[in-house]
Amino acid sequence: MANESETIATGPLAVKRINFGAFYGPNGGLLIVLIVLLVVFSLLNENFLSVGNWTNVLRQVSFLMILACGQTLIILTAGIDLSIGSTMGLVSVAVAAALLHMDPFLAIAIGLFVGASVGLVNGLLVGKLAITPFVATLGTMTVAHGLAMTLTNGAPIHSLPNNWFMSLGRGFIGPVPIPVLFAIACVTVTWVILNLTKFGRYLFAIGGNEEATILAGINVNFYKISTYIFAGFLSAIAAVLLTSRVITGQPQLGSGMELDSIAAVVIGGTALVGGTGSIGGTVIGVLIIGVLRNGLTLIGMSTFVQEVVIGSMLLLAIYLSSLRLRRPRAAIA
């Protein structure tokens, strides 16, 4: 069945994954939660379902959606990336500084290179040097943040030239905000990687049983490094779009977004221990966070309480994930 878990390999690489059927199958409960939130907030505030509000909601969640795509691949391998928020800040100031002196295309290329480079460093630390992902990316998070603050003396870069770059984060194609289209493209690419390529199958295998994957002759380091580069590249895309929207280079642009991306992925059903998850679940997780933030803001709830609510949902998701992982062992016992 398309909406059920399926085996992606045989022998020592036999692991289970959840496919894009997360929208209606294994993560159907998440979809119900999202629908309930939509109904509740629409009853509490008449403006919640307005076109204007939902245009803003979709634009706001698009940046997190792009980050969460990369985070999904990393967590599937039993890794984690704490550096993507700081990477966004570093990319933002790099792009803004470049925009003051050169063509926007070149400035964007520099930003994408910076993001991918941070991802490469993460990949080498985790893959080649075998440093724990949490520790490795915590270190690069600190370095990237320090570099961004040093380059700008802690101050935003203002007075960016008014050219087509500014439309990337603020413009529309028809009725759809441009960042939303980028988010859709990133989700589509990630879905293709996970469901239609050997690369995706190996990511599930690495997260499910890394030792067996190595014994099967798979170059685990290559796939880990590539995954972190991909996440860094997506972080740069999100940073470029958000820099365009705020019209300044912000050294703290992505502060806190790394935690939101982890929360969205875990709430979406991807196990922190790796090997199980889906991009469909991640999309729902991002939408749940976006709807919660927007709805709670509309009813006048403070941002501090919002953090408590989202953090509680994350803890619940982790607990439910741990229960799912225990069930097979209990059945065997």
Side-chain angles (χ1 to χ4, degrees), residues 159-185:
S159 304
L160 301 185
N162 186 14
N163 51 40
W164 60 264
F165 176 84
M166 298 306 166
S167 67
L168 290 177
R170 307 167 70 86
F172 292 78
I173 294 180
V176 184
I178 292 176
V180 174
L181 296 176
F182 273 92
I184 292 172

Side-chain angles (χ1 to χ4, degrees), residues 13 198 202 205-206 210 212-223:
L13 293 184
K198 179 175 68 175
Y202 287 162
I206 292 169
E210 183 173 338
T213 307
I214 295 172
L215 292 174
I218 307 302
N219 187 346
V220 169
N221 287 340
F222 168 78
Y223 290 98

